[in-house]
Amino acid sequence: MATRIAEPVRGTDTEVAILESARDLLAEGGLAALSMRAIAARVGVSATAIYNYFENKQDLVRRVVSLGFERFVGYLRAAIEGVPPGSTERLQALGQAYIRFALENREYFRVIFASHADCPTDIEELPAGGGYNLFRQTVVDAMESGAIRRSDPDLVVLYLWTHVHGLVTLLLSCEPNARCRHTGEKLSAPELFGRFGDFVINGLKDRG
Amino acid sequence: MATRIAEPVRGTDTEVAILESARDLLAEGGLAALSMRAIAARVGVSATAIYNYFENKQDLVRRVVSLGFERFVGYLRAAIEGVPPGSTERLQALGQAYIRFALENREYFRVIFASHADCPTDIEELPAGGGYNLFRQTVVDAMESGAIRRSDPDLVVLYLWTHVHGLVTLLLSCEPNARCRHTGEKLSAPELFGRFGDFVINGLKDRG
DNA sequence: TTGGATATGTTAACGGCGTAAAGTTTACAC
DNA sequence: GTGTAAACTTTACGCCGTTAACATATCCAA
């Protein structure tokens, strides 16, 4: 038998280069800038060469989005490091990280949550691969420590997620500054999140 | 002088026909189905004829979206009819109408809130033309009646809006059924909204 | 009445898009 | 050396938004 010379197939490099170019193009100019020809030009290859590695454009985008998601979960993980479990601060840290990711990776975020019926998913699979469970565990800890009142953790996760997601998508709809003017002042997403935190956490606490 | 034969200029009919065809195509197949050539084919006219009435595609889309917005405000107005002012029920009715519009006019909703930097807007101009003020007045009434605690009405409007918008966009990201499975059951947007209402309203009430 | 502007359309064409088909080069197993 | 499979190119098709040039109808002023 032939000893496998462990040199990786040259094509694999190309695949990585395609994904990286696609990721960069997406970040720089949004979905509109993400064309097969543009990607190919960056990689230094013909547009049709891409079809050796990806079934079609949608498949490629799916892969790029998947990479973006890992990045997203990285934000969440980093956010709660050093913040004591069971505290509402930890919940807020997660929310802030969600916002930070969206603002620092706008095009990624947009594409991730613009899965226009192309790729039907169950809602909790979106931030899965650790994201959802991270969120959920933080909620459970907060309930057990008494920081928030006991109820269905999944419902609470979805509630908090809804809140932060809504804030981000609304502000992202109002490019270019992603800020909101109300009562005369301009507020950024993190500032608004801070102000809303009062309502949100209050709603989760025991009455009286 | 020639007596004015009151026949309206044929061109105006064409403009209306273009807008209606565009609206229908958008509703049927989303932004992807909305091409100048497809619109023209429906109207029975050449694609370039459209440029007599609209500067370019973006301009046309803006007009279509504007029509959609009027429709949206119509949903909101209808929702609070017959519901007593000052009640939290009125707030919930607005939220339910928001959700209903999004689910019954998905493509409209998507396009309205996907103003990808093309048309920078201040956030409160989005549901303006009556929408925002409607929302705000409902909040003010609820504060004055004591249904919710007194605080900055604009902040509360944004808070509630954030909540319902987040719920809808999250569920719309999970086509085709726009439902969420959690703890084993499938919940629709209105059902989830109902469950979240507890948290939301509780957060806005006075403590104790 | 006529003639020129204006409004309302047309067809042809440009460059860009995703992608299919066919052909070419390269690497390697037997 | 030959066959085979992978990696890649060229060419081409039918879409797309948009421009330019041209046709026709309508209206008003002289």
Side-chain angles (χ1 to χ4, degrees):
Chain A
M1 82 185 81
T3 42
R4 262 322 215 124
I5 310 292
E7 201 59 46
V9 191
R10 206 168 71 89
T12 299
D13 289 345
T14 306
E15 180 169 356
V16 171
I18 291 170
L19 281 171
E20 288 177 348
S21 293
R23 181 240 293 148
D24 293 346
L25 280 168
L26 182 65
E28 290 165 19
L31 253 190
L34 194 67
S35 80
M36 299 300 259
R37 285 170 163 91
I39 296 166
R42 283 223 177 180
V43 176
V45 104
S46 76
T48 51
I50 299 176
Y51 289 82
N52 284 319
Y53 304 96
F54 306 92
E55 210 177 289
N56 49 34
K57 188 182 181 181
Q58 182 183 308
D59 182 35
L60 202 173
V61 169
R62 200 170 10 234
R63 290 281 302 278
V64 172
V65 165
S66 173
L67 291 180
F69 222 99
E70 291 172 20
R71 201 177 157 75
F72 175 58
V73 174
Y75 270 67
L76 296 185
R77 276 193 213 292
I80 59 173
E81 249 176 44
V83 181
S87 62
T88 56
E89 283 74 21
R90 203 159 192 171
L91 282 174
Q92 275 160 349
L94 277 181
Q96 295 282 9
Y98 198 108
I99 290 171
R100 261 201 331 118
F101 175 81
L103 295 183
E104 290 173 9
N105 308 270
R106 286 167 199 232
E107 300 306 334
Y108 253 140
F109 185 84
R110 267 200 255 265
V111 174
I112 286 175
F113 289 102
S115 53
H116 287 114
D118 292 340
C119 39
T121 342
D122 265 319
I123 198 168
E124 67 266 37
E125 288 176 21
L126 282 173
Y132 184 82
N133 288 336
L134 197 82
F135 221 141
R136 197 191 130 99
Q137 191 55 52
T138 305
V139 166
V140 169
D141 289 345
M143 283 180 183
E144 287 179 353
S145 77
I148 63 176
R149 97 172 104 122
R150 280 177 199 279
S151 58
D152 181 347
D154 289 293
L155 199 62
V156 171
V157 167
L158 207 50
Y159 167 62
L160 292 172
W161 187 13
T162 285
H163 175 72
V164 71
H165 185 76
L167 179 60
V168 164
T169 51
L170 260 188
L171 289 177
L172 243 41
S173 293
C174 306
E175 291 287 338
N177 287 331
R179 316 188 123 248
C180 170
R181 174 166 49 81
H182 87 106
T183 61
E185 25 168 9
K186 285 250 179 195
L187 292 177
S188 69
E191 287 163 347
L192 278 171
F193 180 73
R195 300 222 185 175
F196 289 163
D198 186 29
F199 299 136
V200 176
I201 300 300
N202 191 22
L204 292 178
K205 282 183 178 162
D206 279 315
R207 307 296 320 282
Chain B
M1 82 187 85
T3 41
R4 251 342 206 111
I5 310 292
E7 205 56 48
V9 190
R10 210 168 68 89
T12 299
D13 290 344
T14 307
E15 181 170 354
V16 171
I18 290 170
L19 282 170
E20 287 176 349
S21 294
R23 179 240 294 148
D24 293 346
L25 280 168
L26 183 64
E28 289 166 19
L31 252 189
L34 193 67
S35 79
M36 300 299 261
R37 285 172 164 90
I39 297 165
R42 284 222 175 180
V43 177
V45 103
S46 74
T48 52
I50 299 176
Y51 290 83
N52 283 320
Y53 304 96
F54 305 92
E55 209 177 290
N56 47 36
K57 188 182 182 181
Q58 182 184 308
D59 182 34
L60 201 174
V61 169
R62 203 173 3 239
R63 291 282 303 276
V64 173
V65 165
S66 173
L67 290 180
F69 222 100
E70 291 171 19
R71 201 177 157 75
F72 175 56
V73 174
Y75 269 66
L76 297 185
R77 277 193 212 291
I80 59 173
E81 247 174 47
V83 182
S87 62
T88 57
E89 283 74 21
R90 204 160 191 171
L91 282 173
Q92 274 160 350
L94 277 181
Q96 296 281 11
Y98 198 107
I99 291 171
R100 258 196 340 111
F101 175 81
L103 294 183
E104 291 173 10
N105 307 271
R106 285 167 199 233
E107 299 307 333
Y108 253 141
F109 184 84
R110 268 200 253 265
V111 173
I112 286 175
F113 288 102
S115 54
H116 287 114
D118 292 341
C119 39
T121 343
D122 265 320
I123 199 168
E124 66 265 40
E125 287 175 22
L126 281 173
Y132 184 82
N133 288 335
L134 197 82
F135 221 141
R136 197 192 129 99
Q137 191 57 52
T138 306
V139 166
V140 169
D141 288 346
M143 283 181 184
E144 288 179 352
S145 77
I148 63 176
R149 96 171 104 121
R150 282 178 197 277
S151 57
D152 181 346
D154 289 294
L155 199 62
V156 172
V157 168
L158 207 51
Y159 167 61
L160 293 172
W161 188 13
T162 285
H163 176 72
V164 72
H165 185 76
L167 179 59
V168 164
T169 51
L170 260 187
L171 290 177
L172 243 42
S173 293
C174 306
E175 293 286 337
N177 288 331
R179 316 188 123 250
C180 171
R181 174 168 49 82
H182 88 106
T183 61
E185 22 168 10
K186 284 250 180 195
L187 292 178
S188 69
E191 287 162 348
L192 278 172
F193 181 72
R195 299 223 184 176
F196 289 163
D198 185 29
F199 300 137
V200 176
I201 301 299
N202 191 22
L204 292 178
K205 280 183 179 159
D206 278 315
R207 307 297 318 283

